[in-house]
Amino acid sequence: MARLTEKTVDPASEAGYVDHPRRMGFFTDTSVCIGCKACEVACKEWNAIPEDSGPLTGMSYDNTAGLGANTWRHVAFIEQRKPMAYQEPGVDHRDIDGLALAEQGFSVSEAAEEFRWLMASDVCKHCTHAACLDVCPTGSLFRTEFGTVVVQEDICNGCGYCVPACPYGVIDRRADDGRAWKCTLCYDRLGVGQEPACAKACPTESIQFGPLDELRERAARRVEQLRADGVTDARLYGADPDDGVGGDGAFFLLLDEPEVYGLPPDPVVTTRDLSAMWRRAGAAALLAVAGAVAAFALGGSR
Amino acid sequence: MPSLGTSFGRGGATTFQQDLQNSDCIVIEGSNMAECHPVGFQWVMEAKAKGATVIHVDPRFTRTSALADLHVPLRAGSDIVFLGGIINHVLSEEKYFRDYVLHYTNAATILTEEYRDTEDLDGVFSGLDTEERAYDFHTWQYDGTEMRAASGERDQQYADQTRGGETVRQSARGEAHGSGGAEVGNPVRDETLTHERCVFQVLKRHFARYTAEMVEQICGIPRDTFARVCDALTANSGRDRTSAFVYSVGWTQHTVGAQYIRTASILQALLGNIGRPGGGILALRGHASIQGSTDIPTLFNLLPGYIPMPHARSNTDLDSFVAAESTHKGYWANTRSYLVSLLKAYWGEAATEENDFCFDYLPRLTGSHSTYETVLTQIAGDCEGYFLMGENPAVGSANAKLQRLGMANLKWLVVRDLSLIESATWWRDGPETETGEIRTEDNATEVFFLPAAAHTEKDGSFTNTQRMLQWHHQAVEPPGDARSDLWFTFHLGRRIRQKLADSTNDLDRPILDLAWAYPTKGEIDEPDADAVLAEINGWDANGIPLSSYEQLKTDGSTACGCWIYCGVYAGGVNQAARRKPGGEQNWVAGEWGWAWPANRRILYNRASADLDGKPWSERKALVWWDAEQGRWTGHDVADFVADKSPHYRPDDDARGPRALSGIDPFIMQGDGKAWLFVPAGLTDGPLPAHYEPQDSPFRNLLYRQQRNPVREVTQFVHPDNRLQPSGDEPGSKVFPYVATTYRLTEHHTAGGMSRWLPYLVELQPEFFCEVSPELAAERGLKHIGWATIVSARAAIEARVLVTERMTPLIVQGRRLLQIGLPYHWGPNGYSVGDAANELASVSLDPNSHIQEVKALACDIRPGRRPRGPDRVALVRDYQRRAGITERTGTEM
Amino acid sequence: MSVLNVTRKRRRGRRGEQPMVPDAEFSSYYGKPVINSPVWSVPDVPGYLFLGGLAGLSSLLAAGSDLTGRDALGKVGKLGAFGAGVLSLVGLVHDLGRPMRFLHMLRVLKVTSPMSVGSWLLSGYVPLAGVAAATTVTGRLPRIGALATAGSALLGPAVAAYTATLLSDTAVPAWHDGYREMPFVFVGSGATAAGGLGLLAAPIAQMSPARNLALLGVGLELAMFRRMRTRLGMVAEAYDTGKAAKYVKAGQALSALGAVGAVVGRRNRIACALSGVALLAASAATRWGVFHAGMISSEDPKYTVVPQRERIRKRRGDKEF
Ligand SMILES: Nc1nc2c(c(=O)[nH]1)N[C@H]1C(S)=C(S)[C@@H](COP(=O)(O)OP(=O)(O)OC[C@H]3O[C@@H](n4cnc5c(=O)[nH]c(N)nc54)[C@H](O)[C@@H]3O)O[C@H]1N2
Ligand SMILES: Nc1nc2c(c(=O)[nH]1)N[C@H]1C(S)=C(S)[C@@H](COP(=O)(O)OP(=O)(O)OC[C@H]3O[C@@H](n4cnc5c(=O)[nH]c(N)nc54)[C@H](O)[C@@H]3O)O[C@H]1N2
Ligand code: SF4
Ligand code: SF4
Ligand code: SF4
Ligand code: SF4
Ligand code: SF4
Ligand SMILES: [Mo]
């Protein structure tokens, strides 16, 4: 259990793989997401996920509402009264007259510009310290050689424990079949050297798939560039190996606070506190024995 | 598009999507590119990552706006004012690219003395025949010579050249999206651009009233926003920088649609952005192969390769047709070889020199046979049978009810589709069966539904938005009775020919003489699509595949199904099936698929080089003259005679392509120039002028002329196609809002391919209207409640999506609230809803015959619409309140 | 902090409200929960928690009774322990999405999974409790019975306490953040229940250890519950909301009632029985309350977002928010 509190760099080795491939993951750059939902559909098609139609939600263009057993990729739509992320043209054109205005960045004086529409494709984070996996009593959830977290549908008995354990609200139990489901990071595709279906379908490279360390470097450069270009809202989420889950295997570039996208601002793998929990439970059990002894020792009128 | 055709010579997009990455500024206007062309939009993102400024001009804040640097909301139907304002700015601030304008456009050309502008005639041009509601464009000509249109309406000159043919004009010959050619003598030019009748000065005067104030008043765009667009665009155009325009049906679907694109063409020509990397006008087409279906057309007025369809009364024989349709200069001078080769492809052995190559066998036009006119002939009982193959007019066409009423009056109807679409079931469960206007038991139309194979179930090609043919291979067998359209057409023809085999009737000869021997394969006798492509490409007398249309002959020794596609099967290889990865070639990717003409990807790319053939700047190099080799060379295939030196000047009597000089980049034009002013080819004016949409809550602030005087409405007068009062006319306040219709990424057009797919339906499960919080408050609309939207044609209901993405605008001092309506829904499928097209009237652009569905004055009220006959009663009530009669809105 | 997109839409399928209802305190995605709510159902899971506590502490009571020669109380304890143990297993299996795959629980033993630990515990405990019960009822194999009784008394406290870990080892704020006190609350509540059962079913002559146990249990439970709330801060609101509040309040009232009744009515068999019932009900109500508080805290994003924001702020040492 010590590992739960340690910084793990390589969850696959941790899980006992020797000579395994590099840890693979996603960098989802929401600043270029066009909300086309191709990722959602590609995921459903590839994984033959049941349809899940409901009425219009009224949540902007989001009608699938969130990740769940039947939605492993979910695109969030956020309409905000905030200025658009105006990006400074990167090409130097100071010698050209008339661009003074554009150089200053567009002012935010007008209502029309104080508006933006954020879109972000969410997915299982394939946490370094995955609560779902930790709490799974059957071993149905396991760590793959790619460092990802996958449910084995023939093992899962539907105990549902993983569901509230996940700090991101990802995994869920399917009502009709009783088992837990979530993104597999297309384990079957990775196995044959293909990239995940969602990344393949994404037209703007908002979803980037690759070795996690490379993605982290790329993301760091991207966020730097955006900030330099005046998109000061840009930030990475889940990229830090020192965070509460030891870093996400699928991390994000966001343009606002995580909770705006429905993400927890400071997630912690629940099992980080598990030793303390067991100690407390042990103490309580001992106290129970002590209490019982006392109950008999105290005696009473009858 | 007739506008691109008349402006530059060919109707297709001047550039390709991947080249957008080279733009310094991209203006997306009249297109929701991110939602409707998401894959192509990656190149906009690429440009943005490289520092380009992206501007989206759209009534609504869409997913495209979300990724743009600037969103400019405007009133639907007002783009000419906005673009005209920029033109005015460019001209008055002298921001145009002078060298380019002077040499590569017709700016210096002097016009006839008879020409009168909208400035002189309060909103109309000279030559307007108020009886006929049509322009005679003889006064629009160049001084000293007569121009023939490269594409667009070439009919008017027809009379001159053939002496005859008065109904020709209505038959819309030489339509739309052409690849053109033009006629010219030697026009008079003023290289100083100061002559008062030179195009440049006419342009200046014409656009002088398109001021920033007018933009503010008419479009609702604040002046500083407008200034920003002007600045971004002009600062990013010139020798070293290029800007691109992207448009789609947000521009075309207006009664002045073609002129929207004309305005952008003028602007881009002035800024020197045509034919250059990162520049151009990217016309984004729609359906996967809609470009293909204009090249090898599904249009009634064209033959393959933009050869006009002959007219019954005027095109008596091959010689007179060729005389009328070909030109002396440029590529249309070779019309005869294109047509003869086409006839050889159609009738093979039977087509001989002696019988005019079966020219007589071609069908003839007798008037307009556009889809909307056809519906009226159905209602009138003149059209008795109908094939619907890959179209769902009961949902997708303007005034969908009219379409259904037409079909209800047919003897037979054949629908070939993937799903049981509304156009196949209106007789049992359409809106009129609910209102009682169509009774199933009384309806006599015999409806045949034949399942069609989808593109994954057959071989074939798509010609995409950038004129590029891409081959798709069959992946699976079609299920059950589903068959490809090729199968259906081939076997239908085969069986008809069998039935007629013993006929001695001359009328049957065209069918019996057809070259109809296509190889078939497999259990279901599927015709070989490759063989069809080979025929389209063409062959010589020995059956050897041709490689260029320059090889086509007038003597019948070559056959070619579509001259502009000649070369797609060069060397006997299916060039459209080439798939060399982008990473292994330059960004032009000339070895991916095959593009017409001659695999050129950026049209008119000679214009990327200066007069001497050197790139205007290194940064924007595309093709250039290599003096040593004596050839044009570069990244793309030069859209120019390969060995014509920039210093070449033609003799006076030169003919065909040789008549154009080494500095005439627009090789399909008679004068080799981009046309700022269009002397021929457009029916509604040589220059764009702003007219209000057919139904508009505003009066035209620019001219007394309210609407496009030659728009097509009078032929569509029908009780179910009533028009509305506009502007200051009494009753116009009954319809105070402006609705626009559009697409969502999650659905496709009339829904046949998306409302039946659960994975798409769950993403957008219900028909909705988008309204601003202000409109919701004004009319008491509740978020995700119901609203009823009413026009003079219909009342429909939709869920309400209240969103700040709909911005109120101040137009003519008044607050205008707009309504957004995706048009994908209808009564069938997993996700059902009313069709937005019930609301629209049939009012068409006179050039393209495209319906106005992008700017509709209407009313909106909370709650669901009435059911049954009450629905009709509500509409009648609105008509009564607005004082609508048969004549309302039909005024010229 | 952004004040947008904070409508109160909870579960998928229901419709959202106006998209721009401002909420001054925190941002969320249309008021949707950040974490997924437990898919566990009522009465299976709160019942399971209650029965586990009842069983565990009953085993202790039974063992003590055997040691002090209180046969009748011992019998009540053993039968109670076994009955509750079996029922809790039934609840657990019934709540599985795939009950037929119950045995997959025993594929592995994972200390990181309290449910795995619990499954193993129960599969050791329930047979022992069964043997203990069977031997007292039949009077056969007394030595094995004694061993089984001792064994179940050894495992019993663990059975009673681990269910707290089971809940706490989730991302559910009202559960996880209470992990320090919850085992004590649960053990106390188990004692309340076991004591209550003794009061209900044992002869009055042998009842006093049960009463003592119940009183100690009530005391522990109430004290630790109070401490838990203090520590939970704003998350404690979940315990004061909706169904959770009703059950928690009922539990406390019934505990007090039962405790008073057990003391005041100690000479009256009926009063004792009624007190016993009240205490059993109190224990159950507490578990139901805790269960619902968890559900409430998982369904409202504020319980996830606000404390996490607070945590970040503290970490950053940024006090002036
Ligand atoms: N996902 C998806 N993609 C598609 C299709 C589809 O149905 N679904 N259809 C395909 C087809 S057939 C076509 S033709 C293309 C069409 O592609 P687009 O033209 O991009 O499609 P639309 O959504 O009809 O219209 C574009 C935009 O025009 C705006 N607009 C309306 N009126 C005006 C106006 O007066 N001025 C300006 N500037 N803008 C206006 C609308 O708000 C809308 O955002 O898309 C193709 N791609
Ligand atoms: N209000 C409003 N109206 C509009 C527009 C708008 O923007 N607003 N846009 C207009 C535009 S640009 C367009 S393109 C039209 C589209 O209008 P339609 O063409 O009428 O609509 P689609 O739904 O695209 O119909 C195409 C049908 O072809 C079927 N199909 C697909 N593949 C095949 C095949 O291989 N063979 C056969 N036989 N059938 C096949 C599909 O199932 C589908 O039902 O709508 C126009 N109408
Ligand atoms: S995000 Fe949730 S479901 Fe995914 S690995 Fe982490 S804990 Fe498991
Ligand atoms: S529901 Fe399935 S995957 Fe989740 S914890 Fe239980 S057994 Fe493991
Ligand atoms: S990686 Fe595969 S399973 Fe995961 S979201 Fe993408 S497509 Fe779905
Ligand atoms: S496919 Fe890419 S661009 Fe489209 S919604 Fe998904 S992440 Fe965004
Ligand atoms: S649907 Fe096809 S044509 Fe349209 S964007 Fe996607 S890939 Fe391109
Ligand atoms: Mo289209």
Side-chain angles (χ1 to χ4, degrees), chain A residues 182-206:
Chain A
K182 73 168 192 73
C183 161
T184 68
L185 215 131
C186 282
Y187 189 43
D188 49 348
R189 293 174 63 98
L190 261 55
V192 295
Q194 286 187 310
E195 69 178 315
C198 53
K200 179 102 193 151
C202 177
T204 61
E205 288 180 16
S206 174

Side-chain angles (χ1 to χ4, degrees), chain B residues 530-587:
Chain B
D530 229 61
V532 177
L533 189 73
E535 181 187 88
I536 288 170
N537 175 81
W539 44 67
D540 65 13
N542 304 318
I544 309 288
L546 302 169
S547 52
S548 156
Y549 57 74
E550 312 213 3
Q551 296 170 299
L552 296 176
K553 298 279 179 340
T554 54
D555 61 2
S557 62
T558 55
C560 174
C562 178
W563 70 277
I564 57 174
Y565 280 20
C566 188
V568 67
Y569 213 76
V573 176
N574 184 340
Q575 306 286 338
R578 294 182 302 167
R579 292 194 190 131
K580 186 166 171 179
E584 294 169 22
Q585 41 182 334
N586 72 8
W587 90 99

Side-chain angles (χ1 to χ4, degrees), chain B residues 416 451-454 457-459 478 482-489 524 526-527:
Chain B
R416 282 179 47 74
E457 295 157 357
K458 59 193 182 194
D459 291 339
R483 293 290 181 273
S484 72
D485 299 304
L486 181 56
W487 184 96
F488 175 78
T489 312
I524 58 170
E526 175 73 17

Side-chain angles (χ1 to χ4, degrees), chain B residues 676-688:
Chain B
L676 299 172
F677 178 98
V678 169
L682 291 171
T683 49
D684 55 355
L687 289 173

Side-chain angles (χ1 to χ4, degrees), chain C residues 161-297:
Chain C
Y162 104 87
T163 47
T165 316
L166 181 78
L167 293 192
S168 298
D169 195 19
T170 62
V172 176
W175 295 345
H176 180 89
D177 300 356
Y179 75 83
R180 291 178 187 79
E181 295 81 13
M182 186 107 60
F184 297 98
V185 174
F186 275 25
V187 163
S189 174
T192 307
L197 182 65
L199 287 168
L200 172 66
I204 222 160
Q206 297 186 8
M207 209 179 265
S208 58
R211 180 180 303 112
N212 293 340
L213 190 64
L215 292 175
L216 287 170
V218 168
L220 180 66
E221 180 191 329
L222 292 180
M224 290 313 265
F225 211 115
R226 171 170 298 187
R227 244 177 91 171
M228 181 166 86
R229 285 183 166 218
T230 319
R231 190 192 296 282
L232 282 174
M234 68 80 66
V235 174
E237 265 176 47
Y239 288 90
D240 298 327
T241 310
K243 275 191 186 163
K246 274 189 208 139
Y247 282 113
V248 167
K249 283 200 190 104
Q252 289 174 345
L254 285 166
S255 294
L257 194 72
V260 172
V263 175
V264 177
R266 65 182 171 283
R267 282 167 232 281
N268 182 323
R269 187 67 196 77
I270 294 180
C272 285
L274 286 176
S275 305
V277 169
L279 290 167
L280 278 163
S283 175
T286 302
R287 308 311 178 100
W288 254 256
V290 170
F291 181 82
H292 284 293
M295 299 302 278
I296 288 163
S297 75

Side-chain angles (χ1 to χ4, degrees), chain A residues 52 55-57 59-60 62-65 76-79 133-139 153-159 161 163-165 167-173 177-179 257 259-260 262 264-268 270-271 273-274 276-278 280-281 284-285 287-289 291 295-296 298-299 301-302, chain C residues 4-5 12-13 15-16 20 27-30 32 34-40 60-61 64-65 68 70 95-98 101 104-105 107-108 110-117 157 161 165-166 168-172 176 179-180 183-184 187 204-205 208-209 212-213 216 220 266 305 308-309 311-312 315:
Chain A
D52 196 14
L56 200 73
T57 63
M59 297 159 56
S60 190
D62 176 6
N63 287 299
T64 48
F77 288 78
I78 300 133
E79 301 184 6
L133 186 155
D134 284 343
V135 303
C136 175
T138 62
E153 55 208 52
D154 52 338
I155 304 295
C156 171
N157 69 9
C159 73
Y161 201 7
V163 176
Y168 300 98
V170 170
I171 195 165
D172 210 350
R173 201 167 73 179
D177 99 340
R179 289 175 294 180
E257 302 290 3
E259 55 267 38
V260 169
D266 186 32
V268 170
T270 179
T271 42
D273 302 321
L274 190 55
M277 290 180 211
W278 280 136
R280 290 283 167 153
L287 190 64
V289 177
F296 284 93
L298 284 172
S301 54
R302 292 230 182 135
Chain C
L4 295 145
N5 309 298
R12 168 101 211 251
R15 287 160 188 269
M20 306 281 167
S27 326
S28 77
Y29 185 63
Y30 300 95
K32 305 283 294 177
V34 171
I35 60 167
N36 283 337
S37 287
V39 288
W40 296 328
L60 277 178
L61 199 58
S65 303
T68 57
R70 292 177 167 91
D95 197 56
L96 292 178
R98 288 283 173 111
R101 290 187 182 170
H104 285 192
M105 287 290 193
R107 271 181 84 238
V108 287
K110 284 169 75 176
V111 284
T112 59
S113 171
M115 191 179 279
S116 172
V117 172
T165 316
L166 181 78
S168 298
D169 195 19
T170 62
V172 176
H176 180 89
Y179 75 83
R180 291 178 187 79
F184 297 98
V187 163
I204 222 160
S208 58
N212 293 340
L213 190 64
L216 287 170
L220 180 66
R266 65 182 171 283
V305 174
Q308 292 192 11
R309 270 275 148 231
R311 197 154 71 206
I312 294 174
R315 207 161 50 220

